[in-house]
Amino acid sequence: MPQLRVKNGPAQGKVYPLTEEVTQLGREDAVQVLDTAASRHHAEIFAIGDMYFIRDLGSRNGTFLNDERLVAEDQALLRVGDQIRIGATLIVFEEPPKRLEEPEFTTGEEDISATVELSLETGDTALAGAEEPEAREASVHFAVLYDVARAVSSAFDVETLVQRVCDITLNATPADAVYMFVHEGGKLVPVAHARRVERSKLKISSTIVRRSLQHSRALLVSDALSDARFSASSSVVMKGIRSVICAPLLAHEQLAGVLYLHSASVERAFTDEHLRLVTAIALQAAVAIKAVRAHEESRQQLLSVFSTLLSAHEQASPTATEGHSEGVRSCAKAIGAALEVPPAEAHTIELAALLHQIGKIGAPEGAFEREDTRHEYATVGAKMLRRIDGLEDVAAAVEAHLERLDGTGGPRRLVGHQIPRSARIVAIADEFERRLGAASKPPYSSEAIKKVLMGLNEEAGEKYDEEAFNGLVIALRSGKLKHV
């Protein structure tokens, strides 16, 4: 649900969620603008489906959207980041922020001599003074590691992977909170966390993390409050925390980050066996992260090759629109993100959108412009892609992207949900880009975008998938769709 945030003026910082179909702005309205230039009823924001528009209500001093004055009673499409100015008051249209909590690192050195260490070097698998785990505990740990293996084997992106690992680790240990940090841009960045209950912001011991990374060792610091060496420590992380485990994410002798756990309860203190388990989880996670990143690099290389090929075709063809394939790709990708489609399907959608016109490459000019041949390039493209292992779903989406819900499309006259969702998303992205390109040239005005959206809205549910159209609107509103 989008919201308005007052950026300056007497109500600076105040937030107004847009929960109603129509929200008025003015001196005496729901969004109260205490500005001498504001009228009693100055402007209004209204929703049409998932689209939000603003219009001036004939105010004396006008309403400005991104420093352009709105024509009285005219409607302007709102997108995330747009700034509305009434007099000297600035109001921002935005989505509520979704941020991962970033814990703080302590500064200075802390005494962590009361520490159990587990080396990650080959052959060093024993803990000093530790006994062999009992069969039952070993069985539980095996089940946990099996869950981790299943999670990492089914993850297509790092974000999903690290969150699953944190969730499994929290459920398998007495931890109150689990954090995963990875190296990005020369520093450790939190990428996922799991917590049993909400509590005050956690501070991470920089000493523990640094020692774990420097020596490639998993560390267990236990019962810190009862240890005299910690009682007078300035370390904030030890205040209310009785156990900490920090395990490095090590894969192929490369450190990717750390898995960090803490527990504030004496009854839920970590043991040597928890250290063993978390170390094994961290090792699995590190290898999986490296593999997923390598897969993503390969995927991007594949996209780059196809993109270059299609760009060359569009530049050489007198009838092709240069940049169309790339535009459809960006649009379809943003729709998929707005609809939160699974990562594997998102990859299919992005690739099918980029390649939806691949069947035209090498064909004579105008070969697919006649009524009886206009769908054939989709069939030709699908046949080309089916020759490449692993692109079967992409081929199906390319072949069906010209189908329409009411059966008026082609080449197979499919109807409704006979059309794969990936193809329905590519269809709306393709049509949006085509109509927008026909109406004006980049950079596209808000008025041009609005007209295309209103036209597609009339056909959503009849020719085009309504969910896909709503995803397009959300992508435009939230700023996920950047190129327009």
Side-chain angles (χ1 to χ4, degrees), residues 380-396:
V380 173
K383 286 180 179 178
M384 294 168 62
L385 294 171
R386 287 192 176 101
R387 297 192 186 105
I388 305 174
D389 290 340
L391 295 188
E392 293 81 9
D393 289 343
V394 175

Side-chain angles (χ1 to χ4, degrees), residues 194-406:
R195 308 181 75 157
R196 294 192 189 279
V197 294
E198 292 300 321
R199 51 174 293 164
S200 58
K201 192 172 186 178
L202 171 67
K203 290 201 173 184
I204 304 294
S205 169
S206 56
T207 302
I208 294 175
V209 172
R210 185 166 57 250
R211 180 166 170 178
S212 176
L213 290 173
Q214 285 177 347
H215 301 285
S216 296
R217 290 176 180 267
L219 307 179
L220 164 59
V221 181
S222 187
D223 201 18
L225 287 179
S226 62
D227 194 309
R229 284 165 293 192
F230 290 111
S231 59
S233 171
S234 62
S235 171
V236 181
V237 75
M238 294 307 165
K239 294 178 181 178
I241 299 177
R242 292 186 176 271
S243 295
V244 172
I245 287 178
C246 184
L249 303 172
L250 184 66
H252 306 123
E253 299 185 352
Q254 292 183 340
L255 283 167
V258 295
L259 188 59
Y260 190 99
L261 292 71
H262 80 88
S263 173
S265 170
V266 176
E267 294 77 16
R268 299 174 64 85
F270 299 127
T271 66
D272 295 348
E273 290 308 317
H274 293 129
L275 180 60
R276 289 180 184 273
L277 177 62
V278 173
T279 301
I281 292 173
L283 287 170
Q284 276 190 293
V287 173
I289 290 171
K290 189 175 181 67
V292 170
R293 284 178 171 169
H295 176 267
E296 178 60 21
E297 287 178 7
S298 298
R299 191 178 76 86
Q300 290 300 328
Q301 289 173 356
L302 177 65
L303 287 168
S304 179
V305 170
F306 280 132
S307 181
T308 301
L309 175 66
L310 288 161
S311 177
H313 163 70
E314 289 172 352
Q315 290 177 18
S317 172
T319 58
T321 302
E322 187 174 349
H324 176 75
S325 295
E326 194 62 46
V328 175
R329 169 195 172 185
S330 298
C331 187
K333 181 180 179 181
I335 293 171
L339 297 179
E340 299 181 349
V341 301
E345 186 181 3
H347 173 54
T348 297
I349 290 167
E350 183 179 5
L351 200 49
L354 178 63
L355 301 175
H356 73 284
Q357 294 193 120
I358 195 171
K360 293 182 178 181
I361 295 179
E365 288 296 331
F368 304 111
E369 293 181 4
R370 300 196 313 272
E371 181 63 27
D372 60 331
T373 62
R374 64 190 181 94
H375 299 128
E376 287 185 6
Y377 76 86
T379 303
V380 173
K383 286 180 179 178
M384 294 168 62
L385 294 171
R386 287 192 176 101
R387 297 192 186 105
I388 305 174
D389 290 340
L391 295 188
E392 293 81 9
D393 289 343
V394 175
V398 167
E399 185 172 30
H401 83 277
L402 295 176
E403 304 284 0
R404 298 295 178 257
L405 298 185
D406 58 3

Side-chain angles (χ1 to χ4, degrees), residues 109-127:
E109 288 293 324
E110 302 127 24
D111 182 359
I112 57 169
S113 55
T115 302
V116 178
E117 299 187 9
L118 179 60
S119 173
L120 303 188
E121 296 176 1
T122 304
D124 187 0
T125 58
L127 287 163

